[in-house]
Amino acid sequence: MKTILLIMLSLSLLQACSYRPIIDTAGKSSSNFNTDQAKEITNNVQHCETIAKKNTNFISNITFWALNENMDTKYESIMRKCLTLRGHAVLN
């Protein structure tokens, strides 16, 4: 039983750090930006990953996931919000 629980927790940790958002780079995502933000995608993803890693841990990810109706981890939520606020259309 302990082994199964340990494996499940380990997989949860790995899954939380492997989130790669699908971003539509074809056009502007909102009227707040006058130009296409696709040229900044690499830089923005790196900044958002840093912010998400600094503001999450295993317990916060699991708690957020359990209480969130979309079943997102806190890491995924922060990444999505960060990229959206930087002008990218995040599809997942």
Side-chain angles (χ1 to χ4, degrees):
M1 184 67 179
K2 288 182 182 180
T3 306
I4 293 172
L5 184 59
L6 184 61
I7 290 171
M8 295 297 287
L9 291 174
S10 297
L11 291 175
S12 295
L13 278 173
L14 292 174
Q15 188 269 339
C17 296
S18 66
Y19 174 68
R20 295 285 178 227
I22 298 172
I23 301 167
D24 180 11
T25 59
K28 297 182 285 187
S29 65
S30 71
S31 60
N32 296 337
F33 297 91
N34 295 327
T35 60
D36 180 18
Q37 299 298 310
K39 64 183 179 204
E40 298 292 331
I41 190 67
T42 303
N43 188 38
N44 288 338
V45 168
Q46 289 175 349
H47 283 287
C48 291
E49 282 178 347
T50 302
I51 291 169
K53 285 178 183 176
K54 284 184 178 181
N55 291 289
T56 58
N57 59 39
F58 177 74
I59 300 298
S60 68
N61 274 324
I62 296 300
T63 304
F64 191 89
W65 173 80
L67 300 174
N68 188 343
E69 63 185 35
N70 296 331
M71 306 271 303
D72 291 339
T73 62
K74 188 174 181 182
Y75 179 87
E76 292 171 347
S77 179
I78 291 172
M79 279 288 292
R80 185 177 297 110
K81 186 172 184 178
C82 179
L83 289 169
T84 301
L85 291 174
R86 286 173 180 256
H88 301 288
V90 181
L91 303 179
N92 71 333

